[in-house]
Amino acid sequence: MAKYISPISMEAISTLCEKIGDNNNIDPANFEKFDVKRGLRNSDGTGVMAGLTRICSVEGYYILDGEVIPKEGKLSYRGYDIKDIINSCIEDNRYGFEEVAWLLIFGSLPTVDQLDSLREVIGECRRLPDNFIEDIIIKHPSNDIMNKMARCVMALYSFDQNPDDYSVPNVLRQSLQLIAQFPSIMNTAYQVKRRAFYNKSMYLHPVVKNISTAEYILRQIRPDKEYTQEEAHLLDICLMLHADHGGGNNSTFATRVLTSSGTDTYSAIAAGLGSLKGPRHGGANIKVANQMDYILEHCADPTNEAQMRDMLVKILRKEAGDRSGLIYGMGHAVYTKSDPRAVILRENAKKLAFDHGFEKEFVTLENIEKLTPEVFAQVRGSEKTMCANVDLYSGLVYRVLGIPGDLYTPLFATARIAGWSAHRIEEITSSGKIMRPAYKSVSKVREFVPIDKR
């Protein structure tokens, strides 16, 4: 397809970048001198307290006499342990993402009638506005689905008769519509990419109202619209686990920052999408998938612990993999001993992975999880407590479900829109102040030089 060719010379840009580098480098010592919390983190790695929330709790350590003490991870939505929520859904053989969305937004577990009403609203709102697919998605395909989703969300502003109303009822209406529309946007953007960039057929199936979000996603993605209940329930677990992760994660914080300015819902949610796209955030699951492919290709038997240990040593020493020295899917900013999301995914994905012929891949990930802490201590000389994070297993789950890599991070967003919406509403109802942290200038005072003397 035709692309816009920039008239700006990259050679000229490269020359100018040298000047940018000279004038933007900040002496690292200054961050310590002025007690700057780089990355909004304290010196012990804990996050700077920037707000309060009743929506979600993420626990991975406790502080005793100023020391960070590791503990088993716990994720709670509105005070309810995510393990209990998911176990209840498994026992009753019911889909839970819609229930979690209600809990996050309204603050309480829904009754049967309330849950039925929410599912009905979501079903009715799945259809995108007239001509939206043709004018906004098909005519302007994107090689990156997250980028396209952000543009679609911004475009929906133009289709809203009351887009700037900041009242809770109107924001709630917009939020429920976006939760319903995200799967439709994601799949349509992917199908258009298939045609425009892969020269493959598009499959645009009619919207179905009376099925769960997980079922709807699988039905829309697959050419034959077929899926098993076991597959749909596993995807539903993924959606529940990704629905929220507290107010401090990068994308939710971005959504709250924009919300604090009084901007519209579409701008705030687009900010969340832009953040989640980043490889240091939601894009990490692709890094894990690429890492596993590399290991499977270059390690004779990754199910053998000795061979796997040697491979991990090479990766940490930047002798293998993408030469970054990182083992993707290991370690987390909050969780220390365990990430409950990774634990739940590992437990629930194993049977389906083995049944679908992914036994080798699953054991490879288990070896990465088991061996990385000791290898990290050996190579880096660090005794830091480290666990697998959710990204280690989520990519394999998607692969087992036949979901293409293009949709790994968009699926994350399709779940997290529930959490973003809840935090936006909480920010509107409880904060009332624009977020405006301080930045200290370390520039030196200089005398102005007239243009003819420069």
Side-chain angles (χ1 to χ4, degrees):
M1 58 175 295
K3 289 185 177 292
Y4 173 75
I5 305 300
S6 173
I8 302 173
S9 163
M10 288 307 298
E11 182 179 352
I13 287 290
S14 298
T15 301
L16 291 172
C17 283
E18 294 177 9
K19 181 68 69 175
I20 289 176
D22 293 341
N23 293 326
N24 283 280
N25 288 329
I26 296 176
D27 185 348
N30 280 330
F31 290 97
E32 294 184 19
K33 176 181 178 181
F34 297 109
D35 192 27
V36 176
K37 313 294 186 182
R38 299 184 76 177
L40 290 181
R41 296 203 165 278
N42 298 307
S43 58
D44 60 6
T46 59
V48 171
M49 191 66 67
L52 301 173
T53 181
R54 296 178 63 182
I55 297 170
C56 181
S57 172
V58 181
E59 303 170 38
Y61 58 83
Y62 63 95
I63 308 294
L64 179 63
D65 297 330
E67 183 181 358
V68 176
I69 309 297
K71 72 172 189 177
E72 299 295 340
K74 183 178 180 181
L75 173 62
S76 302
Y77 293 164
R78 296 287 188 175
Y80 296 101
D81 193 320
I82 188 62
K83 294 180 182 178
D84 295 333
I85 297 172
I86 289 178
N87 286 338
S88 174
C89 291
I90 292 173
E91 289 171 8
D92 296 343
N93 196 35
R94 73 178 191 275
Y95 294 99
F97 174 68
E98 293 78 10
E99 187 172 342
V100 162
W102 179 286
L103 174 62
L104 292 173
I105 292 174
F106 296 103
S108 61
L109 292 170
T111 64
V112 172
D113 289 342
Q114 289 171 335
L115 190 53
D116 286 344
S117 67
L118 177 61
R119 286 172 173 157
E120 183 178 350
V121 168
I122 289 177
E124 290 294 332
C125 292
R126 280 177 178 149
R127 189 176 67 84
L128 295 168
D130 292 342
N131 302 319
F132 187 92
I133 291 177
E134 181 177 356
D135 292 342
I136 306 299
I137 304 180
I138 293 179
K139 288 183 178 179
H140 306 282
S142 175
N143 194 39
D144 188 280
I145 307 304
M146 287 294 286
N147 173 274
K148 191 62 189 178
M149 290 179 73
R151 283 190 281 162
C152 286
V153 168
M154 290 299 290
L156 284 169
Y157 176 98
S158 301
F159 291 81
D160 191 329
Q161 294 182 339
N162 195 21
D164 290 305
D165 184 348
Y166 198 67
S167 67
V168 171
N170 192 59
V171 171
L172 175 59
R173 170 189 65 81
Q174 294 169 328
S175 298
L176 294 177
Q177 288 179 186
L178 287 172
I179 291 171
Q181 291 169 337
F182 260 43
S184 300
I185 293 171
M186 173 185 70
N187 178 65
T188 306
Y190 171 66
Q191 296 299 335
V192 172
K193 177 181 178 177
R194 278 174 54 89
R195 186 187 69 172
F197 295 91
Y198 299 153
N199 197 29
K200 295 183 178 180
S201 298
M202 294 192 302
Y203 298 96
L204 299 177
H205 305 309
V207 170
V208 176
K209 301 178 181 180
N210 59 346
I211 57 177
S212 70
T213 299
E215 291 174 293
Y216 180 65
I217 290 171
L218 290 178
R219 186 185 186 280
Q220 294 300 99
I221 290 174
R222 296 184 173 180
D224 60 4
K225 300 179 285 188
E226 298 293 328
Y227 57 88
T228 67
Q229 290 300 305
E230 186 181 23
E231 290 173 324
H233 279 294
L234 181 56
L235 179 57
D236 184 59
I237 290 174
C238 290
L239 296 177
M240 286 190 278
L241 290 174
H242 281 120
D244 196 40
H245 210 238
N249 72 82
N250 196 271
S251 58
T252 300
F253 187 63
T255 302
R256 293 193 75 134
V257 168
L258 265 74
T259 296
S260 75
S261 76
T263 195
D264 65 277
T265 295
Y266 303 101
S267 294
I269 298 302
L273 283 162
S275 165
L276 195 68
K277 177 186 175 184
R280 294 179 182 176
H281 192 8
N285 49 30
I286 292 294
K287 292 286 189 179
V288 173
N290 293 340
Q291 173 184 263
M292 184 173 69
D293 288 340
Y294 179 90
I295 291 172
L296 291 172
E297 181 179 351
H298 293 86
C299 183
D301 183 10
T303 64
N304 179 286
E305 290 191 13
Q307 293 187 33
M308 191 63 191
R309 184 180 286 105
D310 290 342
M311 172 58 71
L312 293 176
V313 168
K314 291 178 181 178
I315 290 175
L316 280 178
R317 289 177 174 168
K318 301 183 180 181
E319 298 169 357
D322 64 1
R323 304 302 198 272
S324 67
L326 300 174
I327 297 177
Y328 300 107
M330 292 298 301
H332 191 269
V334 178
Y335 297 125
T336 52
K337 286 190 173 182
S338 63
D339 179 339
R341 303 169 301 171
V343 173
I344 291 170
L345 272 189
R346 184 181 65 237
E347 292 174 349
N348 287 278
K350 186 171 185 176
K351 181 181 182 300
L352 198 62
F354 278 49
D355 289 346
H356 284 61
F358 289 89
E359 180 176 351
K360 185 176 182 180
E361 288 83 351
F362 193 89
V363 174
T364 297
L365 294 182
E366 286 188 315
N367 277 340
I368 292 174
E369 179 177 11
K370 177 182 178 180
L371 300 172
T372 294
E374 61 181 77
V375 171
F376 194 86
Q378 171 192 337
V379 175
R380 300 282 172 83
S382 170
E383 297 298 327
K384 177 182 178 181
T385 303
M386 179 186 299
C387 66
N389 60 53
V390 68
D391 292 315
L392 186 67
Y393 289 98
S394 63
L396 178 59
V397 168
Y398 296 152
R399 187 170 292 185
V400 170
L401 294 174
I403 294 170
D406 285 315
L407 294 182
Y408 287 6
T409 309
L411 267 175
F412 193 159
T414 298
R416 188 56 60 85
I417 176 63
W420 291 337
S421 299
H423 282 275
R424 174 167 167 76
I425 292 172
E426 185 180 60
E427 185 70 26
I428 290 171
T429 57
S430 65
S431 179
K433 287 193 173 184
I434 186 171
M435 291 194 195
R436 207 291 188 187
Y439 268 68
K440 179 177 180 60
S441 172
V442 290
S443 299
K444 294 181 179 179
V445 176
R446 296 187 287 181
E447 291 292 331
F448 179 77
V449 180
I451 193 168
D452 59 344
K453 296 182 179 180
R454 293 173 198 168

